[in-house]
Amino acid sequence: MIVMLCGITLPLVALVWEALGHPCADMWFDPIPTGGHMLLIATVPLVSTLYLIGHRSRALDVLTGVATTTTICYSLAFLPYVPVSVWCIPILGIGLLPLSPLLALFSLHISARAVSEPRQYWLGFGLGFLALGVFWLPPTLTRAWIDEDAVGWLRALGHDATMRKDCGAAQYFRITGRVLGDEEPVRGLRQTSSRMVGKADPGAALAYLEWTFDVQNDTGEVQEAMVEVGLPAGSVVSRATLWIDGTEREAAYTSAEKATRAYGSLVLHHLDPLLVTCSGPGRVQVRCYPVPPGGKRTFKLGVTIPMTMIARGEAWLETPRVLRANFAASRSAELNLDGRVSIARLPATICFARDSKVLTAWAPLHREGFAVERLQSRPAPERIALVVDTSAGMRGHAGEVDEAIEALQPDRIFYATDDGWSEKLPDYAGGRDNLPALKQALEGYSTVIWLHARQPYAGPQLTNVQALLKGGRDLIEASLEPGGDAVLQELQLPAVRPLARRATLAQDVVALRQPRLEFELRREERIPKGHAASDHLARLWALQAGKALEYKLVTPETGAVVLETMQQYAQNDLIPATPDEVPSVPEPGTMALVAVALAAAGVARKRCA
């Protein structure tokens, strides 16, 4: 009876109880921080069971020694809590669980009498101590290193489960380069189709793309779809829609704070909102709720994109891309650009030939005047500094970073380190705060290129970097690792722009050493001679002039939100955009019908003739 109760039942109940609910770990300490600890504890009921069925062997003698060592060590560990445990026995017998190591000793004492080979028993006794040392040592040392903030030791030998439990989120990132609770795609939430439809205007070096997402929910629960989209340099979201009951609904445009508040109010009631806000330079976050169980949601982003000018006779279009999503996102999209359909891996770059004689383009503004762009040649920066993130997330990009350095030949390189910055490349490890290196580079150089992995935590130098960027410096950033970025979220300033991506990283950065062709935008009273552009030129001017709400644009200060009913818009003091206030591109099916209609009209004209 003693063996059954103290050697089998209590140890098993205590082990399962702690593994499922972690009561001891929550109140005192974690008795099973690793799977190895669970195996050692499991030797107690195993030995007791084999003893009861009459099994005898040398292996059992060894296991009995291991189990005895385990119970002695756990009895000593729980000894300070014995008075509390005894007091808790009348409360549903809960106090017996911390007492189970002590009670198991009685059972193992009976089992040990049946040992046939004492040497095997004592071998197991020693092996038990060795195993406990091996299993206990990493968590114990890890806790000590965490207290001392010994980053080097923690990276080399730290116990990950202990660090996850005992480290703060920022400290864990600094040690490992990983984010605690990082958002992984929801199983069963997936993108079923990805379609881009657009129009290009090479003369004005601009384009408009509408990107439609279909997200399917194969889970049994309501889900929120979230995606962060990277935009080409200088781009702006100029349309957002959500399909509700089979009808495409336009967004309302307001302050980012007000849009977020309106979205949150509907999410609480499981209604149908969509929210689009900026999450950093060249980044927007889209949230859509609810995606019903077994159902899907369809939403669309319209993006006005300035092309990159390499020479007067060519312009390069870069497509948006997914930076991160909580659903399984497609890496490619069906791209229908000016009626030409292809499957493109994102981000895609497309070269357009243009009339090299076109130096001026214009479009009417909503009120008086015209948005006019004139082609200018900007001299290359005289001096360029390069800031390189050396976090673990950059390890896989080390080769392309080296190629970029070789091609660019920067005037000075600042490597982010654990202690701030260095001009010597350290190992790629952990998660490093890049702000000290950025501050140092911006203090001495007016043009800084920043190659980095994600920076989920903004350090104390953020205010200094913001002040320098407001003082006339240019920061060109290239995010080489997908994911959210708290530093970019805070650096949503005109001086910060994403690197224009056209080819390899080396080719893209070395292009910054060349004179730059770009259109300079301004407002003029009269129509100039030149290329008549689409109204997207006016939108780019509005982005520059701070007139985002008038032109229905998503910027760091503004957001877009789709609500379900006009009553909800009224309750939130919002008015959705009308179709004539936002751009649009006919869907491929509509374009085909138009083509058929035009062909039929042409045949009819020939017959009439």
Side-chain angles (χ1 to χ4, degrees):
M1 177 64 72
I2 293 177
V3 174
M4 176 65 72
L5 176 64
C6 300
I8 299 175
T9 305
L10 269 178
L12 276 177
V13 171
L15 183 61
V16 173
W17 186 285
E18 183 63 31
L20 295 177
H22 310 292
C24 182
D26 293 337
M27 287 188 298
W28 300 322
F29 70 96
D30 188 357
I32 48 174
T34 70
H37 291 80
M38 295 186 70
L39 288 175
L40 285 174
I41 295 172
T43 60
V44 177
L46 176 62
V47 165
S48 300
T49 301
L50 293 174
Y51 169 79
L52 283 181
I53 64 176
H55 180 82
R56 300 291 183 270
S57 69
R58 290 186 176 185
L60 179 59
D61 295 344
V62 174
L63 278 177
T64 304
V66 172
T68 303
T69 302
T70 302
T71 54
I72 290 173
C73 290
Y74 273 93
S75 297
L76 292 173
F78 277 97
L79 197 59
Y81 311 108
V82 167
V84 177
S85 301
V86 172
W87 183 80
C88 289
I89 289 176
I91 306 174
L92 301 176
I94 291 175
L96 288 172
L97 297 180
L99 291 173
S100 61
L102 278 172
L103 296 174
L105 277 175
F106 292 102
S107 169
L108 288 171
H109 177 67
I110 296 172
S111 301
R113 291 178 180 176
V115 168
S116 58
E117 291 284 348
R119 284 190 301 177
Q120 301 298 321
Y121 173 81
W122 290 110
L123 174 63
F125 198 85
L127 289 174
F129 273 114
L130 180 63
L132 280 168
V134 169
F135 293 142
W136 275 111
L137 196 60
T140 303
L141 288 177
T142 297
R143 291 189 191 95
W145 290 331
I146 288 171
D147 292 340
E148 296 175 9
D149 200 24
V151 173
W153 286 105
L154 288 166
R155 282 183 187 153
L157 300 171
H159 184 245
D160 189 68
T162 304
M163 291 192 291
R164 285 178 175 273
K165 180 175 179 291
D166 293 356
C167 285
Q171 186 184 25
Y172 183 78
F173 171 74
R174 188 158 58 93
I175 295 164
T176 66
R178 301 188 296 274
V179 180
L180 276 176
D182 205 7
E183 191 174 61
E184 294 290 335
V186 176
R187 286 189 178 181
L189 195 63
R190 57 192 173 90
Q191 185 177 5
T192 56
S193 69
S194 176
R195 306 183 301 279
M196 286 187 184
V197 183
K199 300 181 293 187
D201 183 357
L206 60 85
Y208 174 68
L209 288 177
E210 290 188 341
W211 192 358
T212 303
F213 293 77
D214 291 324
V215 180
Q216 176 74 30
N217 180 10
D218 295 326
T219 74
E221 300 178 352
V222 171
Q223 301 289 348
E224 178 185 42
M226 187 283 291
V227 59
E228 188 168 18
V229 174
L231 305 178
S235 301
V236 64
V237 170
S238 50
R239 191 185 185 196
T241 67
L242 173 68
W243 272 258
I244 300 176
D245 297 329
T247 303
E248 187 176 13
R249 306 286 184 88
E250 298 290 344
Y253 297 80
T254 183
S255 69
E257 181 182 356
K258 190 173 181 180
T260 303
R261 189 165 58 245
Y263 176 84
S265 68
L266 265 70
V267 165
L268 288 174
H269 297 91
H270 297 270
L271 297 176
D272 291 343
L274 177 84
L275 176 68
V276 185
T277 53
C278 281
S279 55
R283 294 171 172 233
V284 293
Q285 185 185 70
V286 185
R287 296 171 63 188
C288 178
Y289 183 92
V291 186
K296 76 170 185 177
R297 275 288 179 209
T298 301
F299 55 88
K300 178 192 288 181
L301 280 185
V303 186
T304 298
I305 306 171
M307 297 186 191
T308 302
M309 297 283 293
I310 303 300
R312 289 188 178 186
E314 64 181 50
W316 287 82
L317 169 64
E318 178 188 348
T319 66
R321 65 195 185 280
V322 171
L323 295 175
R324 61 169 177 158
N326 74 334
F327 52 83
S330 174
R331 296 183 179 182
S332 59
E334 178 187 311
L335 179 60
N336 188 312
L337 194 57
D338 294 331
R340 293 176 293 176
V341 181
S342 63
I343 302 299
R345 186 174 179 84
L346 304 179
T349 53
I350 303 123
C351 181
F352 290 87
R354 64 181 301 276
D355 186 350
S356 59
K357 296 179 181 178
V358 175
L359 306 179
T360 304
W362 61 271
L365 297 174
H366 284 179
R367 299 180 183 178
E368 295 181 356
F370 300 88
V372 179
E373 59 178 12
R374 301 182 187 277
L375 193 61
Q376 304 287 336
S377 178
R378 304 286 187 191
E382 292 183 3
R383 300 166 71 234
I384 295 178
L386 181 67
V387 174
V388 179
D389 184 7
T390 58
S391 299
M394 291 286 287
R395 192 178 295 127
H397 304 279
E400 52 180 331
V401 170
D402 291 342
E403 291 174 3
I405 292 172
E406 181 67 25
L408 179 65
Q409 292 295 304
D411 295 273
R412 195 173 178 188
I413 304 175
F414 298 83
Y415 293 104
T417 66
D418 291 324
D419 300 321
W421 65 275
S422 172
E423 293 187 82
K424 294 183 178 180
L425 174 63
D427 292 334
Y428 290 99
R432 277 151 179 165
D433 181 6
N434 284 208
L435 290 170
L438 284 172
K439 173 181 174 292
Q440 194 69 25
L442 289 167
E443 285 179 344
Y445 296 83
S446 59
T447 301
V448 175
I449 303 171
W450 178 29
L451 308 180
H452 64 98
R454 58 180 172 171
Q455 291 276 289
Y457 305 101
Q461 294 287 353
L462 178 65
T463 304
N464 295 328
V465 171
Q466 288 173 323
L468 288 166
L469 289 169
K470 291 175 182 177
R473 271 77 166 178
D474 287 326
L475 178 61
I476 302 137
E477 64 88 16
S479 304
L480 304 184
E481 181 190 29
D485 199 300
V487 171
L488 287 178
Q489 178 77 35
E490 298 295 332
L491 296 182
Q492 298 190 62
L493 301 167
V496 184
R497 70 178 190 272
L499 176 69
R501 302 306 303 268
R502 181 177 60 89
T504 65
L505 180 64
Q507 291 171 315
D508 292 335
V509 296
V510 81
L512 299 172
R513 283 289 195 191
Q514 308 301 320
R516 190 169 81 224
L517 283 173
E518 65 177 25
F519 278 108
E520 184 181 78
L521 264 170
R522 63 179 66 182
R523 179 184 177 278
E524 295 185 7
E525 296 294 335
R526 297 180 181 180
I527 301 177
K529 292 181 180 180
H531 175 74
S534 69
D535 56 359
H536 290 286
L537 184 60
R539 291 185 176 88
L540 292 178
W541 172 84
L543 175 65
Q544 176 182 292
K547 297 184 179 294
L549 290 181
E550 182 182 340
Y551 282 78
K552 314 299 182 189
L553 306 176
V554 176
T555 68
E557 292 77 31
T558 61
V561 62
V562 179
L563 305 182
E564 189 171 9
T565 66
M566 291 305 298
Q567 181 182 1
Q568 292 163 0
Y569 281 110
Q571 289 172 347
N572 288 278
D573 192 25
L574 296 172
I575 301 174
T578 59
D580 60 346
E581 290 179 309
V582 291
S584 66
V585 178
E587 286 287 340
T590 305
M591 295 167 69
L593 290 174
V594 171
V596 171
L598 289 175
V603 171
R605 286 180 182 176
K606 287 182 180 179
R607 287 178 179 175
C608 291

